[in-house]
Amino acid sequence: MTKTLVIAEKPSVAQDIVRALTPVAGKFDKHEDHFENDRYVVTSAVGHLVEIQAPEEFDVKRGKWSFAHLPVIPPYFDLKPVDKTKSRLNAVVKQAKRKDVTELVNACDAGREGELIFRLIEQYAGGAKGLGKPVKRLWLQSMTPQAIRDGFAHLRTEQQMAGLAHAARSRSEADWLVGINGTRAMTAFNSRDGGFFLTTVGRVQTPTLSLVVEREEKIRKFVSRDYWEIHAIFGAQAGEYPAKWFDPQWKKSDDAEARADRLWSQADAQAIANAVRGKQATVTEESKPTTQASPLLFDLTSLQREANGKFGFSAKTTLALAQSLYERHKALTYPRTDSRALPEDYLPVAKQTFEMLAGSNMRHLAPHAATALAGNYVRPSKRIFDNSKVSDHFAIIPTLQAPSGLSEAEQKLYDLVVRRFMAVFFPSAEYTVTTRISKVDQHHFKTEGKVLVKPGWLAIYGKEAADEVQDAKDGDKGQNLVPVQPGEKVNTLAADPKGLKTKPPARYSEATLLGAMESAGKQIDDDELREAMQEKGLGTPATRAAIIEGLLTEKYMLREGREIIPTAKAFQLMTLLRGLEVEELCRADLTGEWEYKLAQMEKGQLSREAFMQQIAAMTERMVKKAKEYDRDTIPGDYATLQAPCPNCGGVVRENYRRYACVGKAGGEGCGFSFGKSPAGRTFETAEAEQLLRDKRIGPLEGFRSKAGWPFTSEIVIKYDDEARNYKLEFDFGDDGKGEETGELVEFTDASLGACPICGSEVHEHGSNYVCSKAVPTAAQPTPSCTFKSGKVILQQPVEREQMTRLLQEGKTGLLEKFISNRTRRAFKAFLVWDKEAGKVNFEFEQRESKYPPRKTAAFAAKTGAAGAGRTSAAAKKTSKPAAAKKAATKTTTPRKPAAGKAPSAALAAVIGTDPVARPEAVKKLWVYIKEHNLQDPKDKRTIVADDKLRAVFGKDSAGMFELAGILGNHLG
């Protein structure tokens, strides 16, 4: 008997499909990786099991970070398994290749990514010949059993899904081409003068970042202006009312900050206030009814924006909650949608949903559902039911299944969706809006009153929402107005100017950034207009949360409260892309066009070949711009630091790569500079300022070694006798130096608590917390205690509050960001004082188990040199001190210097004949250049060759950034 293989995206969905099919297709037997009965085999992926890669002949393994092999544009893509899920892929492929399986059903999530997940698995399973088995598509909007059975009754054909499949592959390949080539090209550009500075870019993530950077630039450049408003109080027979002066002749101009009620002169404002105070005013007013319809139903982006604004949920959190409510609880329809309408035949389902809500035990929602049913509110409406506004998925609404066992966050999100669903069917809220003009001589004052007559849909949200809508601003809007009789004169009881300042645009929150991504940066507040623009947005509703999280992970952006702030690394990337004139990665609206073309491809209106040709052309242009850029620096808006040069007292200015001394007024720089991104971490301007001022900063996180390992360190600026200048160095906190030199330590911070060894005070010192008797002080020059614990242990910062807690209670709170030196994996632990070992150790969370605990050795942390990442508190077994000692020795052994190479005769005439590594050769060459004053006075980056250097350079001059490459040819 032949069978149909059903491939779901996740195991939980496979189980739901089995439960739904059992009543109509018979009982399933459960196997290790699949379910099976007489008609179906049901298995699942776990997200992406296969990813694309360049074919072997086009793959660049060595030298991929240079321009030599760029751009990489393979004529086709190979597939490779995702390492973590190889066993799952093999299990799915095994079922697909079965001879009795004659048909496949794609039951992955109903969207572009779900289509791609299945297509890549099918391609991988078929190999070069292909599986040759027909494919049908299960398209689910809801995960209820009946919706699943209905989906199987209406499976879509492969031809129907061809457009979506093309768009899915094109999106994946376009992101690979732009991401791989862009990242390698920008990294090669940033690393061409030495070091390695990974610079990631992406087809969607970088234009999104440009939105955030552009907003921050506007904020930084904003110059606040003083303006004045005139607020008055008028007295009528029935009482008092507020009003604000305005100019009835005012018209919009080029001044974006001008308003009808703003005056730019305090004298003018004071003069008007003095002129009207105490005088009578004539009153005219107009009252008219107005209505306010409820907002549209939610799509994913509007749901994420609302949840961020109301609850502070990140876009990622909201998506995870909505996905859980869809998959696990079956309480919401498919959440990854960009539609805010329902199909026109969905009216009966909407009525059934109201009946479910009215009969549920959700007391805060049931009465409103009952009101809607009694009032026959659930009626056809183009605003709600419109096939032309439904794409692959309709709006997010509750299903017919009342949920139970929701977490607090899930309940909040479910309530949000249910209230919006009910509100859209309720009548509009009705108001009476009154505009009152009080005229004193030739001066006009406006008062607006807004009175809620019928709450309509606002009743669902209660008093809180009604108050929000009626909220009075500046005392002249939203309030109930005391009546004024026809022809009545009112008295100006008070009139005073109010000084205010214009404000810069607000920083993006996740809610407003999602909105900007949806409209490709265009400021659109109207729901209907935004809906019309969304096909040209950045990314899709399903991917926007991941894009934002990716930018946060790469440290291009930071979250501060609800604000999103770009880092120095982000500004540096935007400066580079603008300087290279790579517009496609800088402008959100241009990338929005690519997304629009993918949407056209889904509908069969654009060929895959045409789109990929455009992406390839964009990739080639981007690489060419970076490769052929021949100027020394990138033009940009750079900072001037306030702290002086430590070497000559001159001015230190930022350029693209460095902070460099440019000398005193009218003078020349002394050659002092330090890189903006040592070990791949970019200084914020304030950090560079602090480093220059204090000659020390840190410990700072986010550095990466040449091997790619993250580390934490302090940074210091020290005088180098050989170079006769100051230079930047990492300081890994090996601060036993005070003991060696006898230098006395003076503590300036408050005590954190009593030392657990001797009872003396514990203070901060360098990158450690130390006992006051563990270092030489004026009170006790010879240390007598050994207590010392790192401020950063295995990349986990240990805050003062946690150390205080350890000293007082013997134990910190649970710390969650330790990174194992061996496995590079994160782990959680408490830090505890181990009295027997006489040091700070790890203690791990106790997990409940029905089995007796296994005997395991306790892990300990010798934290004497723990503050620095390189020697960060290596975890070791206290039961095996020899092993612990060996591990500690291993982590602190310095790396051997690179082997030296013999210099050529020409180079030996400059730096000597001893074998030397290239970095040391460059260093010696600079000593020679400085001693012989060979830098061009007009351009310090150019070295003017004397006779000896002309033999090395092979020309009369060379740029400073060429030196390392030139020396490579002279070291054999």
Side-chain angles (χ1 to χ4, degrees):
M1 179 182 285
T2 61
K3 298 187 179 184
T4 297
L5 173 63
V6 181
I7 301 178
E9 189 167 322
K10 303 178 188 71
S12 62
V13 178
Q15 291 171 353
D16 291 335
I17 289 171
V18 167
R19 278 193 287 266
L21 291 181
T22 296
V24 294
K27 187 180 178 215
F28 284 78
D29 294 324
K30 188 178 186 305
H31 299 268
E32 185 177 356
D33 293 305
H34 69 281
F35 302 87
E36 187 170 354
N37 68 6
D38 293 338
R39 287 179 57 189
Y40 294 103
V41 178
V42 181
T43 187
S44 74
V46 279
H48 281 277
L49 302 183
V50 185
E51 58 190 0
I52 63 173
Q53 67 173 359
E56 185 66 29
E57 62 266 35
F58 295 97
D59 191 19
V60 180
K61 292 184 172 66
R62 294 187 63 82
K64 66 183 181 181
W65 299 110
S66 75
F67 285 118
H69 305 291
L70 296 179
V72 181
I73 304 179
Y76 64 94
F77 284 90
D78 279 347
L79 302 179
K80 66 173 180 178
V82 175
D83 289 336
K84 292 180 181 178
T85 52
K86 268 186 182 177
S87 59
R88 171 65 71 169
L89 175 62
N90 292 336
V92 175
V93 168
K94 180 181 176 182
Q95 301 305 319
K97 287 184 173 180
R98 280 171 48 168
K99 290 184 179 178
D100 60 339
V101 168
T102 58
E103 181 184 57
L104 305 182
V105 172
N106 176 3
C108 294
D109 281 3
R112 196 192 284 168
E113 284 309 295
E115 195 68 24
L116 183 64
I117 287 169
F118 174 85
R119 296 278 175 166
L120 295 184
I121 293 172
E122 181 202 14
Q123 180 184 339
Y124 183 84
K129 295 181 180 179
L131 279 175
K133 299 178 182 182
V135 174
K136 291 190 176 174
R137 184 62 151 109
L138 178 66
W139 198 260
L140 296 178
Q141 302 281 14
S142 169
M143 287 300 296
T144 61
Q146 187 56 50
I148 293 172
R149 288 191 285 269
D150 290 344
F152 271 92
H154 301 90
L155 292 172
R156 299 185 180 185
T157 66
E158 192 162 9
Q159 290 72 28
Q160 287 176 287
M161 306 311 300
L164 183 65
H166 288 327
R169 285 185 183 274
S170 297
R171 195 281 307 156
S172 176
E173 292 174 12
D175 285 352
W176 190 97
L177 287 171
V178 176
I180 292 291
N181 285 284
T183 296
R184 290 181 183 179
M186 299 310 149
T187 301
F189 186 92
N190 279 336
S191 307
R192 66 183 184 179
D193 300 317
F196 178 74
F197 182 19
L198 180 63
T199 309
T200 57
V201 299
R203 184 183 61 88
V204 179
Q205 75 163 33
T206 306
T208 300
L209 180 64
S210 78
L211 294 175
V212 181
V213 170
E214 286 168 10
R215 175 64 60 86
E216 191 69 19
E217 285 172 338
K218 288 179 181 177
I219 293 169
R220 291 183 180 184
K221 292 176 181 176
F222 184 83
V223 179
S224 184
R225 297 161 63 189
D226 294 328
Y227 71 92
W228 285 263
E229 295 176 349
I230 306 166
H231 292 252
I233 301 290
F234 291 97
Q237 293 174 15
E240 299 175 359
Y241 64 90
K244 190 197 292 185
W245 175 90
F246 76 104
D247 178 4
Q249 307 300 320
W250 180 83
K251 291 181 180 178
K252 281 190 176 180
S253 65
D254 293 338
D255 187 349
E257 294 174 336
R259 304 284 188 277
D261 57 5
R262 289 183 178 178
L263 289 160
W264 301 105
S265 163
Q266 183 178 11
D268 291 347
Q270 191 65 59
I272 293 172
N274 293 342
V276 301
R277 197 180 294 116
K279 293 188 178 179
Q280 285 194 326
T282 57
V283 178
T284 56
E285 67 180 26
E286 180 184 359
S287 295
K288 57 183 180 182
T290 188
T291 60
Q292 182 185 356
S294 74
L296 297 172
L297 293 168
F298 283 125
D299 63 1
L300 178 58
T301 303
S302 57
L303 179 62
Q304 287 169 320
R305 295 178 70 199
E306 188 84 1
N308 181 255
K310 280 191 177 297
F311 312 127
F313 292 167
S314 70
K316 179 183 177 183
T317 298
T318 298
L319 176 56
L321 292 170
Q323 198 72 20
S324 174
L325 288 164
Y326 163 69
E327 276 181 24
R328 183 174 163 218
H329 298 287
K330 318 295 183 287
L332 292 184
T333 57
Y334 186 73
R336 297 168 185 258
T337 176
D338 59 359
S339 300
R340 303 189 70 176
L342 300 174
E344 289 167 14
D345 61 358
Y346 225 69
L347 181 65
V349 180
K351 284 185 178 177
Q352 290 175 316
T353 307
F354 269 92
E355 288 166 0
M356 179 276 292
L357 293 169
S360 72
N361 59 3
M362 293 178 281
R363 296 177 184 175
H364 59 302
L365 302 173
H368 301 300
T371 299
L373 291 170
N376 193 29
Y377 291 168
V378 189
R379 299 191 295 269
S381 163
K382 269 290 185 184
R383 190 167 183 265
I384 307 168
F385 303 99
D386 188 345
N387 288 345
S388 68
K389 293 181 180 177
V390 175
S391 58
D392 295 327
H393 311 282
F394 51 73
I396 305 171
I397 62 170
T399 65
L400 298 175
Q401 191 160 314
S404 61
L406 301 184
S407 67
E408 182 183 355
E410 288 171 336
Q411 187 68 54
K412 283 181 175 179
L413 200 72
Y414 182 73
D415 284 0
L416 207 60
V417 174
V418 172
R419 289 182 196 272
R420 179 65 67 91
F421 170 71
M422 291 195 294
V424 82
F425 290 97
F426 266 60
S428 296
E430 297 180 14
Y431 299 90
T432 298
V433 176
T434 300
T435 303
R436 177 179 294 171
I437 306 297
S438 307
K439 185 178 178 185
V440 187
D441 296 334
Q442 77 273 25
H443 301 295
H444 298 73
F445 292 80
K446 183 188 289 185
T447 310
E448 290 182 346
K450 190 174 184 181
V451 178
L452 183 63
V453 178
K454 290 184 180 178
W457 63 272
L458 286 172
I460 294 170
Y461 292 88
K463 186 175 184 302
E464 177 189 349
D467 288 346
E468 277 182 25
V469 175
Q470 297 182 91
D471 186 29
K473 293 181 181 178
D474 295 327
D476 68 327
K477 293 181 181 178
Q479 70 274 359
N480 285 302
L481 293 179
V482 298
V484 174
Q485 301 303 318
E488 180 184 351
K489 298 270 189 175
V490 298
N491 293 315
T492 312
L493 302 179
D496 295 292
K498 183 178 181 181
L500 299 165
K501 289 181 178 291
T502 57
K503 294 180 181 178
R507 283 195 176 107
Y508 281 114
S509 63
E510 280 205 44
T512 54
L513 181 55
L514 285 165
M517 293 174 72
E518 190 177 32
S519 57
K522 292 180 172 59
Q523 300 299 312
I524 300 173
D525 297 319
D526 183 83
D527 277 346
E528 277 79 0
L529 278 177
R530 183 180 293 281
E531 193 176 5
M533 267 297 299
Q534 66 187 9
E535 277 193 339
K536 294 193 177 185
L538 290 175
T540 66
T543 61
R544 286 174 190 140
I547 290 163
I548 292 173
E549 289 298 323
L551 288 167
L552 291 164
T553 300
E554 287 293 333
K555 299 293 187 287
Y556 279 122
M557 308 189 309
L558 301 172
R559 279 195 190 99
E560 282 193 11
R562 295 193 183 183
E563 290 185 335
I564 290 179
I565 302 172
T567 62
K569 183 180 177 183
F571 279 96
Q572 191 168 7
L573 175 60
M574 286 304 126
T575 298
L576 174 60
L577 296 177
R578 290 167 186 168
L580 298 178
E581 298 177 349
V582 186
E583 287 186 325
E584 294 88 343
L585 283 176
C586 289
R587 284 180 51 190
D589 56 340
L590 288 179
T591 305
E593 291 290 333
W594 297 116
E595 205 67 49
Y596 174 63
K597 287 171 182 175
L598 286 170
Q600 284 184 307
M601 198 184 303
E602 288 183 20
K603 299 168 187 172
Q605 297 168 359
L606 178 70
S607 74
R608 169 165 152 71
E609 292 74 20
F611 177 81
M612 292 310 300
Q613 283 173 5
Q614 292 172 324
I615 290 290
M618 168 191 173
T619 302
E620 288 175 339
R621 180 180 175 276
M622 176 174 57
V623 171
K624 185 179 179 184
K625 285 280 189 180
K627 188 185 290 189
E628 295 180 355
Y629 191 86
D630 58 358
R631 280 168 279 175
D632 287 337
T633 188
I634 299 287
D637 184 13
Y638 296 119
T640 299
L641 301 185
Q642 297 300 309
C645 169
N647 192 50
C648 71
V651 175
V652 176
R653 284 197 188 129
E654 176 189 12
N655 58 44
Y656 177 66
R657 286 188 173 83
R658 307 184 71 77
Y659 290 96
C661 174
V662 295
K664 298 179 181 178
E668 294 179 1
C670 67
F672 166 76
S673 71
F674 61 92
K676 288 166 66 174
S677 304
R681 183 197 186 279
T682 305
F683 284 122
E684 299 294 329
T685 305
E687 291 175 337
E689 188 79 65
Q690 182 183 341
L691 174 61
L692 196 59
R693 183 184 65 242
D694 301 339
K695 296 188 177 59
R696 176 179 291 273
I697 190 171
L700 302 176
E701 297 178 74
F703 299 107
R704 283 189 178 271
S705 70
K706 289 182 180 178
W709 299 123
F711 68 90
T712 301
S713 178
E714 289 190 57
I715 297 277
V716 295
I717 292 178
K718 288 186 176 179
Y719 189 77
D720 185 325
D721 291 324
E722 193 173 345
R724 298 182 185 177
N725 209 325
Y726 285 82
K727 68 176 186 178
L728 180 148
E729 289 184 0
F730 290 101
D731 183 346
F732 292 100
D734 304 325
D735 48 14
K737 296 168 188 172
E739 298 164 36
E740 296 170 9
T741 63
E743 183 181 341
L744 299 181
V745 174
E746 184 178 348
F747 298 112
T748 57
D749 65 315
S751 170
L752 289 98
C755 170
I757 295 177
C758 70
S760 301
E761 293 182 346
V762 172
H763 292 272
E764 288 187 53
H765 176 53
S767 56
N768 294 306
Y769 298 109
V770 300
C771 172
S772 58
K773 292 188 177 179
V775 292
T777 62
Q780 182 179 302
T782 303
S784 61
C785 184
T786 59
F787 179 79
K788 183 188 293 185
S789 183
K791 287 157 77 173
V792 178
I793 298 175
L794 293 179
Q795 300 185 51
Q796 166 69 61
V798 181
E799 304 294 345
R800 283 182 62 93
E801 295 76 12
Q802 294 291 353
M803 180 51 60
T804 299
R805 188 169 169 182
L806 184 145
L807 296 173
Q808 292 177 351
E809 304 171 16
K811 183 176 180 179
T812 66
L814 183 65
L815 304 176
E816 302 185 352
K817 295 181 180 178
F818 294 106
I819 305 293
S820 165
N821 277 336
R822 183 175 62 85
T823 66
R824 313 311 306 171
R825 292 182 180 175
F827 66 92
K828 304 176 184 179
F830 302 92
L831 293 178
V832 298
W833 174 247
D834 186 336
K835 190 173 181 181
E836 287 184 21
K839 57 190 173 189
V840 174
N841 277 342
F842 290 123
E843 180 182 296
F844 297 100
E845 267 189 301
Q846 295 296 317
R847 295 184 180 178
E848 293 182 9
S849 172
K850 58 184 178 181
Y851 303 108
R854 293 169 58 195
K855 292 182 180 179
T856 59
F859 281 93
K862 182 176 181 180
T863 56
R870 184 183 66 181
T871 55
S872 289
K876 47 207 176 286
K877 296 180 180 179
T878 55
S879 60
K880 297 181 180 179
K885 185 176 181 180
K886 183 179 179 182
T889 304
K890 185 177 179 181
T891 58
T892 55
T893 301
R895 183 177 293 172
K896 291 181 180 178
K901 295 181 180 180
S904 68
L907 183 58
V910 178
I911 67 170
T913 58
D914 292 339
V916 64
R918 190 181 334 194
E920 187 63 26
V922 172
K923 194 173 181 181
K924 289 186 174 184
L925 185 63
W926 269 109
V927 171
Y928 180 87
I929 291 167
K930 295 283 186 182
E931 286 178 348
H932 293 81
N933 197 25
L934 297 179
Q935 284 177 282
D936 187 336
K938 294 180 181 178
D939 182 3
K940 294 288 187 180
R941 299 181 186 85
T942 300
I943 313 305
V944 180
D946 60 7
D947 290 340
K948 288 184 179 180
L949 283 188
R950 197 172 291 111
V952 176
F953 293 171
K955 52 186 178 180
D956 291 335
S957 65
M960 60 188 290
F961 301 126
E962 298 178 68
L963 296 183
I966 291 172
L967 293 192
N969 300 324
H970 288 270
L971 293 171

